[in-house]
Amino acid sequence: MATIVTATWIGSISVFLWGTLALLTKLTSGGIPEFQLMSMTFGIAFLLMCVRWFLAGHSGTRYISQPPLAWCIGVGGLFGYHFAYFKAMTLAPAIEVSLLAYLWPLFIVLMSSLLPGESLRKPHILGASLALVGCWVLIGRNSAGFTVGNIGGYAVAFSCALIWSSY
């Protein structure tokens, strides 16, 4: 039971942090360069992990022994996504950036059809279509919509979704 409570607590904190990412990024008003913002946030995360490892009675060095490809994928995925997200937030409005960046679940569904023994079936296409219609409804009702002047930010936000779904 304690494991379930701990997992729920950790999951709740993660959802809270994930939900505040756009707000906290926009509060910087683009005043902090993307790489500095990434180093600050990942630095805080590292310090918190060091505290956790210290309380658990080890140094965390046992996690370093991963294959080089795992390090490349992990670091590339995490840093690539967050750099693109922070950059997109400086180039376009938060609502549109968030809608595009959070298309990653849709891409995971569509790209899962590329796995061995899988294929793109009608439920995949129906779910993807419903997701896109939902985005269209949200954009049409709650914002000024996509504008040509922000196309660079939209492209970077779209790459966020591709990076995260590939990761």
Side-chain angles (χ1 to χ4, degrees):
M1 184 66 172
T3 304
I4 293 172
V5 171
T6 303
T8 302
W9 178 244
I10 291 170
S12 298
I13 292 170
S14 298
V15 169
F16 173 76
L17 290 173
W18 182 34
T20 59
L21 183 62
L23 171 67
L24 296 175
T25 303
K26 274 301 188 182
L27 285 177
T28 67
S29 301
I32 301 174
E34 293 80 19
F35 282 119
Q36 181 180 352
L37 192 56
M38 285 174 36
S39 66
M40 291 166 50
T41 55
F42 281 87
I44 291 168
F46 176 72
L47 291 175
L48 291 172
M49 283 306 299
C50 287
V51 169
R52 183 173 184 261
W53 292 332
F54 176 77
L55 294 175
H58 61 85
S59 64
T61 55
R62 63 182 171 193
Y63 300 111
I64 294 176
S65 63
Q66 302 299 320
L69 182 60
W71 278 102
C72 289
I73 292 171
V75 171
L78 288 171
F79 276 85
Y81 171 81
H82 285 90
F83 173 77
Y85 188 80
F86 293 150
K87 186 66 179 173
M89 283 294 207
T90 63
L91 297 173
I95 293 173
E96 287 85 356
V97 166
S98 294
L99 283 170
L100 289 170
Y102 293 123
L103 286 174
W104 62 263
L106 171 69
F107 292 149
I108 287 175
V109 168
L110 294 176
M111 287 191 293
S112 69
S113 67
L114 301 174
L115 294 171
E118 295 294 328
S119 63
L120 191 60
R121 297 187 308 260
K122 287 181 184 178
H124 293 128
I125 296 169
L126 178 64
S129 300
L130 287 173
L132 290 174
V133 168
C135 288
W136 177 74
V137 168
L138 288 172
I139 291 170
R141 298 190 67 179
N142 295 326
S143 73
F146 289 95
T147 59
V148 176
N150 296 323
I151 195 77
Y154 302 151
V156 176
F158 191 78
S159 74
C160 282
L162 289 176
I163 292 168
W164 195 254
S165 59
S166 300
Y167 166 70

